[in-house]
Amino acid sequence: MSAQFPVARPRRLRRAPALRRMVAETRLAPADLVLPMFVKEGIAEPQPVASMPGVFQHTRDSLRKAAHEAAEAGVGGIILFGVPAVKDGAGSAADDPDGIVQRALRDLAADLGDAIVIMSDLCLDEYTDHGHCGLLTAAGEIDNDATLERYASIAVAQAEAGAAVVGPSGMMDGQVAAIRTALDGAGHSDVAILSYSVKYASAYYGPFRDAAECAPQFGDRSTHQQDPANAGESLREVFLDLDEGADMVMVKPAGAYLDIVRRVRDAVDVPVAAYQVSGEYAMIEAAAEKGWIDRERTIMESLMSIRRAGADITLTYWATEAAVLLASS
Ligand code: PBG
């Protein structure tokens, strides 16, 4: 008799692709994705990043082409990182109007206008010869407040070059307030801040430091980035940034910190971004290259998981490819 069999049958809704699609709780869309891109000064050809197959340090021209492809695929935004030809203690190229990022931002703003959201990462580590995210004291420690003045100036230079959103990633205390004040004072009150509010001191950034040529020459980033052991302080970081004027907040890395993405999503009412970082990318690419996992399925599952955890926006090096796959599925 039927009573001896289970009454509830969740499997009924899993029977066929159309049914599964109809009842899916989470959907990915190209517009939610942001592509991080690298532009390097003084190269004639795009340079592949060894630890990130498929990712390049772009020339200004190849950057324009790749950004155009992203926009065509419906990707929501791009975030730009610059690699200058010359680095110094103050990271002078970061706010030079003729610095590589400012030039590239002007190219992209002219080419793409509002077709895609143009964002720029705002930090000093790609520009300093010591590879740290801020100015150093004589003792070799990062001087928080002196660094804020640099960030304020970089924000204005990036806004002037055409960034619609700036993304401070240096984890200095007070950085959002300093940047907001500077932007408003320079007539850029419409430029938004996507704050890397929750940024862990993570081993998953390894390949990025090849791509951006910004590995610290001594020490590490644990005095300013968060300890992977801590969850609660993430909310404190988020609320501080919102008080200081952040328009959107980010959690980084994504995959190993999905619990944090969920906590933040439940605690705030602004858009929440998550950054699927270079190490997450490299691990999947490497395992797929060995034939140990199905590359496309793993990529899409990783992106779905980040969205399911609560991210409204996902930064991913697969943004263009994933957008194309979504359009064809
Ligand atoms: C700092 C910055 C880093 C990343 C983005 N912005 C590196 C760091 O904090 O050491 C890492 C991104 C990635 O790993 O993909 N400017």
Side-chain angles (χ1 to χ4, degrees):
M1 286 299 295
S2 65
Q4 67 197 79
F5 296 109
V7 178
R9 291 189 181 272
R11 288 186 56 190
R12 265 183 212 123
L13 298 183
R14 296 180 194 142
R15 273 183 52 236
L19 254 178
R20 292 196 292 271
R21 190 173 62 225
M22 188 182 76
V23 302
E25 294 173 34
T26 310
R27 289 176 208 282
L28 288 172
D32 305 329
L33 304 176
V34 171
L35 177 66
M37 305 184 84
F38 304 97
V39 62
K40 182 169 174 174
E41 191 170 32
I43 52 171
E45 295 294 327
Q47 311 283 319
V49 178
S51 50
M52 300 177 74
V55 173
F56 293 85
Q57 293 178 320
H58 283 290
T59 66
R60 276 171 67 189
D61 274 345
S62 71
L63 179 84
R64 294 168 89 147
K65 191 162 166 283
H68 185 79
E69 282 164 13
E72 283 281 288
V75 168
I78 58 168
I79 185 160
L80 195 58
F81 295 88
V83 186
V86 179
K87 305 189 184 209
D88 60 23
S92 308
D95 54 342
D96 178 349
D98 290 322
I100 183 64
V101 161
Q102 276 67 248
R103 283 179 192 260
L105 285 170
R106 284 196 292 272
D107 291 342
L108 297 178
D111 285 0
L112 297 165
D114 289 330
I116 192 165
V117 181
I118 299 171
M119 316 199 214
S120 54
D121 182 82
L122 199 171
C123 196
L124 276 170
D125 57 332
E126 298 104 271
Y127 303 94
T128 51
D129 50 12
H130 45 70
H132 282 289
C133 301
L135 301 182
L136 300 181
T137 63
E141 287 178 352
I142 297 176
D143 184 336
N144 191 90
D145 296 7
T147 300
L148 295 184
E149 290 175 30
R150 297 289 298 125
Y151 286 1
S153 169
I154 300 168
V156 172
Q158 293 180 342
E160 241 125 68
V165 179
V166 295
S169 63
M171 291 298 278
M172 293 301 121
D173 292 332
Q175 62 185 12
V176 173
I179 290 166
R180 186 72 271 158
T181 305
L183 287 172
D184 292 352
H188 295 292
S189 52
D190 51 351
V191 170
I193 300 176
L194 165 59
S195 181
Y196 289 64
S197 304
V198 180
K199 181 170 176 183
Y200 285 91
S202 174
Y204 288 92
Y205 307 149
F208 173 93
R209 293 177 186 168
D210 290 342
E213 300 177 16
C214 64
Q217 298 303 301
F218 61 90
D220 59 27
R221 308 215 202 286
S222 340
T223 63
H224 48 106
Q225 299 180 347
Q226 289 175 228
D227 183 341
N230 298 350
E233 69 174 352
S234 293
L235 293 184
R236 186 169 150 72
E237 289 280 6
V238 163
F239 290 130
L240 281 170
D241 282 3
L242 290 176
D243 277 350
E244 291 179 25
D247 300 285
M248 302 179 270
V249 294
M250 197 195 302
V251 174
K252 177 184 176 192
Y257 296 86
L258 295 181
D259 57 326
I260 311 296
V261 174
R262 171 49 58 192
R263 278 205 202 201
V264 172
R265 174 62 292 163
D266 288 345
V268 303
D269 57 6
V270 296
V272 174
Y275 197 145
Q276 183 180 53
V277 301
S278 56
E280 300 177 67
Y281 178 92
M283 288 192 306
I284 292 178
E285 289 289 346
E289 196 186 292
K290 284 191 173 283
W292 290 348
I293 51 171
D294 179 322
R295 181 176 173 280
E296 277 181 15
R297 283 189 59 200
T298 313
I299 291 171
M300 297 316 275
E301 185 176 333
S302 71
L303 293 173
M304 184 63 83
S305 300
I306 294 166
R307 181 116 180 83
R308 193 194 59 239
D312 303 291
I313 302 163
T314 302
L315 284 74
T316 172
Y317 299 97
W318 289 302
T320 303
E321 182 180 352
V324 170
L325 287 171
L326 287 169
S328 67
S329 66

